Amino acid sequence: MVKNKKNSKQHDSPALQDFLGFKVLPVLVDDNCRHYIYMRKHESRNSFHQAADRTLFVVNLPVDATEASLQDLFTPYGTIVYVQFPGDPAYEPPVKPKTKAARMKLKQQQLEKEAADKAKWRHLLHTGASAHIVFQSEEEVDKVLDMPSDDIKRWKTGKSSDQPLGYKRYMMHYKKIRPDPSLLQQQVDTFMSKFKAEEYQREREEEERRNQMDEDGFTVVTRPKKKLVADTPEIVVKKPREFLDFYRFQVREKKQNELSELRRRFEEDKQKIAKQKEARRFKPY
């Protein structure tokens, strides 16, 4: 009798609210915050994939939604085969490898993919993001949509080993893109040491070619560099500029003197030319 009362209580529990063809699923992000996820059975004229009849479409997911968090949310009502977020490849039924070598290769690929996903910077969804969740059977999708509303769901962001969220995420990103100053200084010193060694070797090779004679007995002449590689930067001291002819009347007077000098030289050159012509003139009588 107690068992029947329990079953009748589950049967009489209210269902999820409907909103424009969607079922409204409230989840507790924390003790004082409630988030609403909208879900319905996938429907489309163009087939989404071969498992369209057992696919659940969910929208308005939290930005930190992952496949693991959706597994925690819906696993009590069915077995999830595949979760597709925006931009992910379409679902394809898994092909069971026939040989032992093929199974080992598939397992190795899965392990490499999991390791790459852990090393990759965690991607957050945009506000109101959606996903398609593929279950093993259509009955499991119906079971999710018929869940009682009094079944309180708590949202899980993932395992403790996952990358942090909120303020800790921004601090982690800040430190990741800004290396440690001591490590950066070490890298700069290593680069400069290698650069100076290459420059020194290049100068030595040029010096050897400069003093080497060819087969005909000639020495190759090359122009030496003005400056060799030095350990300390060269200090250039600029001489103070002297301001000559600061006033305008000084500039005009200088130009007039230069013009007078040119005229004087011109007259002297004319007289010299006239004397040379007079000396070369032929006088037969």
Side-chain angles (χ1 to χ4, degrees), residues 144-162:
V144 171
L145 296 175
D146 293 338
M147 71 171 65
S149 60
D150 56 357
D151 190 1
I152 300 176
K153 300 294 182 183
R154 292 188 177 273
W155 182 256
K156 298 181 180 180
T157 58
K159 299 179 181 179
S160 58
S161 60
D162 292 343

Side-chain angles (χ1 to χ4, degrees), residues 66-68 82-83 85 88-89 108-124 161-163 169 172 176:
T66 60
E67 183 175 354
Y82 183 78
V83 177
F85 291 100
D88 292 345
Q108 182 65 25
Q109 291 176 353
Q110 292 176 350
L111 293 176
E112 293 176 356
K113 183 178 181 300
E114 291 177 0
D117 292 340
K118 289 181 179 179
K120 186 170 58 176
W121 182 254
R122 181 175 181 178
H123 175 69
L124 296 181
S161 60
D162 292 343
Q163 295 180 6
R169 173 184 172 86
M172 182 177 179
K176 187 176 182 180

